[in-house]
């Protein structure tokens, strides 16, 4: 395999960021896209090839953002879709790829797919439903 055929991620430096606790730009106690954007030059100076962002989608945060309630948006604590797009563009200008930690098989009980499945709608078979044991634990 020629060196140009090597996948970009082999040997790449990947920096994982949990947005909620990374950098708070507006003093509300939550990290946000603007806070990360403000640290981007420093991160680039470390020789980072990619940022791995822990879930950024809306979530009730019962599972620290891994319980996604809407895959089409971003959590309002972190900013807007426009701010996310600006962050993405700024990363790409610096040659930094962005990896999103997508948890497609782990939705919130507030997600429309879950609600439809619970109601035995068109997505009724998208989740595994089982009665609990007599002691209340999972089967």
């Amino acid at each position: 395999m020629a060196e140009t055929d090597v996948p970009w991620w082999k040997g790449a430096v990947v920096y994982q960021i949990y947005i909620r606790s990374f950098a708070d730009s507006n003093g509300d106690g939550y990290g946000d896209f603007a806070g990360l954007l403000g640290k981007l030059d420093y991160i680039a100076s470390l020789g980072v090839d990619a940022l791995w962002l822990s879930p950024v989608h809306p979530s009730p945060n019962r599972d620290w953002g891994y319980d996604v309630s809407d895959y089409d948006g971003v959590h309002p604590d972190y900013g807007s879709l426009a701010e996310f797009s600006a962050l993405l563009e700024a990363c790409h200008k610096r040659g930094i790829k962005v990896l999103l930690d997508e948890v497609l098989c782990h939705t919130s009980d507030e997600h429309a797919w879950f609600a439809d499945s619970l109601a035995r709608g068109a997505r009724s078979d998208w989740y595994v439903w089982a009665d609990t044991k007599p002691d209340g634990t999972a089967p």
Side-chain angles (χ1 to χ4, degrees), residues 57-99:
H57 298 296
S59 164
N61 285 317
R62 292 186 202 103
D63 194 16
W64 303 106
Y66 284 85
D67 52 331
V68 174
S69 58
D70 174 12
Y71 289 102
D72 293 327
V74 295
H75 200 293
D77 288 347
Y78 305 153
S80 66
L81 278 172
E83 289 172 303
F84 177 75
S85 293
L87 172 64
L88 192 62
E89 183 178 327
C91 287
H92 290 168
K93 282 183 180 177
R94 290 166 176 80
I96 299 173
K97 295 179 181 339
V98 177
L99 307 171

Side-chain angles (χ1 to χ4, degrees), residues 105 107-108 111 113-115 117-118 123-129:
C105 63
T107 59
S108 163
H111 195 288
W113 299 344
F114 185 92
S117 182
L118 181 62
R123 295 174 180 89
S124 62
D125 63 349
W126 285 27
Y127 295 80
V128 177
W129 297 99

